[in-house]
Amino acid sequence: MIARQLTVEDCQAVANLETQLFDGRFDKADLRAMLGKPAFYGAVVLAADMPTIIKAYCLAHIKSMQADIIAIGTEKTYQGCGFGRFMLQHVIAVAEH
């Protein structure tokens, strides 16, 4: 698995996962607004065989080696496969640097 930072182009796909998993707490506009905040950090994991498909994501506020998780989610068909654990480890690593 490889995580990369959330981009504006990812916002719709993450909003779709938010709807699938949590009845849409954050929509595309919310995510785009978060991207503009200095302490915000978002990350996604893409499907290895389809690099345009987001399998998991994490949204957090990071400052002073501390990460406050806003949301973390994994596409339902991939839950239980370690994506959530991987996302948490990634955000911790980002916060520690």
Side-chain angles (χ1 to χ4, degrees), residues 2-94:
I2 298 174
R4 69 160 171 76
Q5 194 163 0
L6 179 75
T7 66
V8 171
E9 291 80 19
D10 300 324
C11 290
Q12 186 61 59
V14 172
N16 292 346
L17 281 173
E18 274 284 313
T19 298
Q20 176 194 90
L21 300 169
F22 306 110
D23 294 325
R25 294 177 300 183
F26 302 112
D27 63 18
K28 182 180 176 180
D30 294 329
L31 295 166
R32 288 178 72 118
M34 285 182 203
L35 281 172
K37 300 197 184 287
F40 175 76
Y41 180 79
V44 296
V45 174
L46 305 175
D49 56 338
M50 291 185 275
T52 58
I53 305 296
I54 294 173
K55 296 296 180 193
Y57 66 95
C58 185
L59 311 174
H61 287 114
I62 297 177
K63 55 185 174 180
S64 303
M65 293 186 60
Q66 176 180 327
D68 295 321
I69 304 298
I70 301 166
I72 188 166
T74 301
E75 183 184 292
K76 288 183 178 185
T77 57
Y78 289 88
Q79 291 177 356
C81 297
F83 283 90
R85 182 180 325 112
F86 179 78
M87 292 304 309
L88 283 174
Q89 291 169 341
H90 173 76
V91 171
I92 289 168
V94 169

